[in-house]
Amino acid sequence: GIQVEQSPPDLILQEGANSTLRCNFSDSVNNLQWFHQNPWGQLINLFYIPSGTKQNGRLSATTVATERYSLLYISSSQTTDSGVYFCAVETGGGADGLTFGKGTHLIIQP
Amino acid sequence: GAGVSQSPRYKVAKRGQDVALRCDPISGHVSLFWYQQALGQGPEFLTYFQNEAQLDKSGLPSDRFFAERPEGSVSTLKIQRTQQEDSAVYLCASSLLTSSGYTFGSGTRLTVV
């Protein structure tokens, strides 16, 4: 099956800092999503971004499908940004579900 | 409803018991997915429904796991004869289309003792 690798695995930053999270995947995808899992376990969909660039407030994401990677940018980090960020992909047909990476554990210190 | 609702939020089962986990997706969402998340890991796909049809159950770990969505809305994940390795958070997600953003519920944390 498809492999999804996220980096870095852990990241500790001070409030106000910017960060870039990376997701590499091993095959063509027709669905790529970024999620934030907060400390209470809730998975929040940040972006549906199989290709191109999107922005939502302090967050933006870019997927370069031809090179099989996606980037999530977080600017002016806040303590509420802490948690685990997952990249998840789907290869086709919609019938095989999303394959998740192992996530990036982000801690924002005040 | 406004979001995906799962119940119960927590479930403790004795080894060998049967459990049933409920998912109430967003109204009108065609696609419904079940995932299993072990501690410190990413969610892993279990099964997928399009309306009432179960189109993929390749992720179900054994024949003790069974899922249904008889009327194309609420879904139930049933685990028979629970074992300790079944302890995990079970997440349900729904989406309007197969190729669109997913909305996850808060999950059911199952602990088998």
Side-chain angles (χ1 to χ4, degrees):
Chain A
I2 191 168
Q3 303 300 309
V4 182
E5 294 183 358
Q6 291 187 242
S7 60
D10 301 281
L11 188 58
I12 301 175
L13 298 172
Q14 293 297 121
E15 205 167 17
N18 303 327
S19 58
T20 300
L21 282 55
R22 187 177 179 100
C23 172
N24 293 332
F25 43 95
S26 61
D27 202 349
S28 300
V29 299
N30 69 351
N31 187 347
L32 187 147
Q33 301 184 40
W34 283 96
F35 294 91
H36 174 218
Q37 190 164 43
N38 65 24
W40 296 271
Q42 179 68 52
L43 269 169
I44 305 296
N45 187 296
L46 300 175
F47 294 103
Y48 166 74
I49 187 166
S51 64
T53 297
K54 291 186 177 180
Q55 180 160 5
N56 184 3
R58 296 182 296 104
L59 303 182
S60 63
T62 295
T63 297
V64 183
T66 53
E67 298 187 20
R68 300 182 182 170
Y69 73 89
S70 183
L71 302 173
L72 177 69
Y73 305 96
I74 306 173
S75 64
S76 304
S77 299
Q78 300 176 359
T79 56
T80 51
D81 295 332
S82 297
V84 183
Y85 289 81
F86 288 104
C87 169
V89 302
E90 192 169 32
T91 55
D96 53 359
L98 290 171
T99 298
F100 281 74
K102 294 186 182 299
T104 292
H105 187 196
L106 176 64
I107 297 174
I108 304 298
Q109 296 178 332
Chain B
V4 178
S5 178
Q6 291 189 246
S7 61
R9 187 76 175 90
Y10 302 93
K11 176 69 178 177
V12 178
K14 290 185 178 179
R15 190 166 49 184
Q17 277 186 331
D18 298 348
V19 298
L21 312 180
R22 176 187 170 104
C23 173
D24 200 339
I26 293 174
S27 178
H29 276 198
V30 169
S31 299
L32 185 146
F33 305 83
W34 283 98
Y35 287 82
Q36 180 190 60
Q37 186 174 23
L39 191 64
Q41 303 295 316
E44 292 191 355
F45 171 77
L46 294 177
T47 188
Y48 161 63
F49 290 86
Q50 186 174 76
N51 295 309
E52 69 278 5
Q54 188 175 22
L55 298 187
D56 189 347
K57 55 182 180 179
S58 61
L60 296 177
S62 77
D63 58 8
R64 296 185 295 104
F65 287 70
F66 172 76
E68 61 183 5
R69 193 186 185 195
E71 297 179 359
S73 55
V74 172
S75 177
T76 303
L77 176 67
K78 297 179 180 178
I79 309 173
Q80 297 177 324
R81 305 181 303 282
T82 53
Q83 301 179 6
Q84 282 192 315
E85 60 262 32
D86 300 335
S87 296
V89 176
Y90 291 85
L91 295 162
C92 176
S94 71
S95 68
L96 188 58
L97 301 169
T98 53
S99 292
S100 60
Y102 291 16
T103 301
F104 276 87
S106 299
T108 294
R109 181 177 297 277
L110 173 64
T111 303
V112 182
V113 298

